[in-house]
């Protein structure tokens, strides 16, 4: 019976360690997702600024001759 208790203790200890690792990985995944969302939002904002600049530049060129500066 003592052998079973010891084996059960090892199993319980292993499961506890596994739970801790899963919790750690879950937290890392949450952090990664949040960082990815933030970076994606920043990229969209930069793309919108670039589009606005392109539209502004093209608009300023409308009606000018090809050699006009």
């Amino acid at each position: 019976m003592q052998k079973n208790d010891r084996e059960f203790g090892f199993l319980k200890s292993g499961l506890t360690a596994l739970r801790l690792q899963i919790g750690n990985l879950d937290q890392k995944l949450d952090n990664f997702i949040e960082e990815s969302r933030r970076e994606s939002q920043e990229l969209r904002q930069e793309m919108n600024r670039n589009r606005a600049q392109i539209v502004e530049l093209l608009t300023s060129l409308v009606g000018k001759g090809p050699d006009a500066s």
Side-chain angles (χ1 to χ4, degrees):
M1 194 62 159
Q2 198 173 25
K3 180 181 176 185
N4 287 342
D5 289 343
R6 188 172 58 213
E7 289 173 351
F8 179 73
F10 287 140
L11 182 59
K12 188 174 177 184
S13 175
L15 288 174
T16 299
L18 183 58
R19 282 189 194 118
L20 290 173
Q21 288 178 348
I22 289 172
N24 187 26
L25 289 174
D26 188 49
Q27 183 63 45
K28 286 181 179 182
L29 180 59
D30 286 346
N31 291 343
F32 175 78
I33 290 170
E34 184 60 35
E35 184 177 330
S36 295
R37 284 181 183 152
R38 195 170 32 253
E39 289 175 355
S40 176
Q41 183 178 10
E42 290 170 2
L43 180 60
R44 279 193 302 272
Q45 290 172 346
E46 182 157 348
M47 288 172 62
N48 288 338
R49 282 191 298 271
N50 289 342
R51 283 186 190 118
Q53 284 181 320
I54 290 169
V55 168
E56 185 178 325
L57 291 171
L58 290 174
T59 301
S60 71
L61 292 175
V62 170
K64 288 189 176 182
D67 295 328
S69 53

